[in-house]
Amino acid sequence: MKNQDLFHHLHTNMRYIKTLLFLVLLFAGLISKAQNDFITLGESVFGVNHDISDTYSINFTARSRYFLYRDATIQYKQQQVDIFHFSTLKLNYNHALSFGVFYRNRDVFESGKNEIRFTQQFNYKTQKLGVRYGHRFRTEQRIIDTRTIFRQRYRFAIDFPLNGQKLDIGEAYFVGALESLLSLSKTSTPAIDQRVTFQIGWQLTEDLKLQTGLEYRLEAYNIKANHSLFVLTSAILKI
C-alpha cells in the first residue's frame, strides 16, 4: 500500500469514528434531560451462518434481551427471547436479497406480548481502501395478537479493520451504523425511531467473530420520545 493511500485510509476511519462518537455524546446529552424515560438493556446474540452455495446462504440466530437499568434503579430482569432465520440470495458481489421469519417470546417472562415477524430485505454494499459501506432497506410485518404493524427501515453502516486494509485472523475491526425506522398500523399514530450503533469486533478464527458495543435508540420521537441504551454482545459462527 502506498503511504498516501494509507494516510487517506487512516484519516477516513478516524473521521467516521469521531462522527459516531459525537452522535453518541449528543444523544447522551439528550438522555440526561429525559431520565424518567431512559432505560438500559443488555442484548446477547449467538448466530450461525452457513453457505448452501455460492449464491445462497442461511442464518439462524438466538437473542436474549434483559433490563439492566430501569425506574432509576440498577436491576436484572429478563425481557424476552428471540429466535429468527434469514435466507439470503446473493445477486452479485454488491447486491443481495434476504427473507426472514422471527419469533419473540415475552409472555413467559410476563413482560409483554409475543410477536411473529416476517422480513424482506435488500442489501447494497461497496468497498474502498478497506472501508466497507452498506445500505440496507428492510420491510417488516410485525404480528402482535390481532394487530399488524408495518415497519420500514433504512440503515447505513460502515465497517473496517483497525489494522491496515485487510482483516487478518486475531485482529479487531470497527462497525458503525445509523438507522431510521417508520412504523405504520391502522390503530396507531405513525411512529418514527432512530438508532445509532457502534461496535468493536474480533476475528478470532476464520469461522468465529465476537462483537461488543453500544446502541442508542430514540423511539417514537414524533409522538413521545423514549430513550434507551443497549449493551451489545454477540458471537457469530460460520459453519
Side-chain angles (χ1 to χ4, degrees):
M1 184 197 313
K2 296 181 180 180
N3 291 336
Q4 184 178 2
D5 290 341
L6 177 60
F7 175 78
H8 178 73
H9 170 73
L10 294 174
H11 176 73
T12 300
N13 291 355
M14 289 304 300
R15 178 159 54 88
Y16 282 121
I17 292 175
K18 288 178 180 178
T19 300
L20 287 165
L21 289 176
F22 169 77
L23 290 171
V24 170
L25 291 173
L26 175 63
F27 290 139
L30 293 174
I31 289 172
S32 67
K33 297 180 181 180
Q35 290 295 321
N36 292 334
D37 299 319
F38 174 64
I39 60 173
T40 301
L41 303 99
E43 195 167 83
S44 301
V45 174
F46 178 69
V48 177
N49 298 326
H50 179 63
D51 293 332
I52 302 296
S53 68
D54 291 338
T55 58
Y56 176 59
S57 62
I58 58 175
N59 163 269
F60 292 93
T61 298
R63 182 171 66 190
S64 172
R65 184 182 296 175
Y66 36 91
F67 293 104
L68 298 174
Y69 177 87
R70 186 173 57 161
D71 299 327
T73 60
I74 297 174
Q75 58 180 274
Y76 172 85
K77 183 178 181 181
Q78 190 74 27
Q79 184 191 36
Q80 65 196 43
V81 171
D82 304 328
I83 299 173
F84 47 97
H85 160 74
F86 272 95
S87 291
T88 299
L89 178 64
K90 187 177 180 181
L91 303 178
N92 53 41
Y93 179 77
N94 295 323
H95 303 84
L97 287 175
S98 299
F99 301 91
V101 60
F102 171 104
Y103 173 70
R104 168 171 293 167
N105 192 309
R106 286 183 172 176
D107 181 67
V108 70
F109 306 109
E110 300 181 347
S111 61
K113 298 179 180 179
N114 296 346
E115 176 183 340
I116 295 176
R117 185 184 308 176
F118 299 97
T119 302
Q120 304 80 43
Q121 177 176 296
F122 173 73
N123 267 310
Y124 168 65
K125 65 180 181 180
T126 58
Q127 187 165 339
K128 185 178 181 180
L129 294 175
V131 181
R132 184 167 55 181
Y133 308 88
H135 302 270
R136 188 181 75 183
F137 302 87
R138 178 180 283 186
T139 62
E140 297 174 332
Q141 301 82 49
R142 304 179 61 190
I143 302 171
I144 305 172
D145 285 345
T146 59
R147 184 167 66 111
T148 301
I149 301 171
F150 298 91
R151 188 161 68 176
Q152 323 304 316
R153 306 172 60 168
Y154 166 71
R155 187 189 72 178
F156 171 71
I158 62 168
D159 66 84
F160 50 80
L162 293 178
N163 298 285
Q165 292 190 22
K166 183 178 179 295
L167 182 64
D168 296 317
I169 303 300
E171 293 186 344
Y173 58 92
F174 174 82
V175 181
L178 295 170
E179 185 172 22
S180 299
L181 304 89
L182 172 65
S183 297
L184 304 170
S185 71
K186 292 183 178 180
T187 58
S188 303
T189 302
I192 304 174
D193 304 344
Q194 189 67 47
R195 300 179 183 179
V196 181
T197 308
F198 67 94
Q199 298 188 76
I200 300 295
W202 293 268
Q203 185 75 48
L204 294 186
T205 69
E206 185 177 351
D207 300 320
L208 178 62
K209 295 190 295 185
L210 298 181
Q211 292 182 181
T212 185
L214 298 173
E215 179 175 274
Y216 168 75
R217 295 187 181 183
L218 177 60
E219 299 180 327
Y221 63 83
N222 61 313
I223 303 172
K224 182 182 178 182
N226 294 308
H227 306 263
S228 55
L229 184 68
F230 284 71
V231 180
L232 309 174
T233 55
S234 61
I236 302 105
L237 177 66
K238 184 178 180 180
I239 60 173

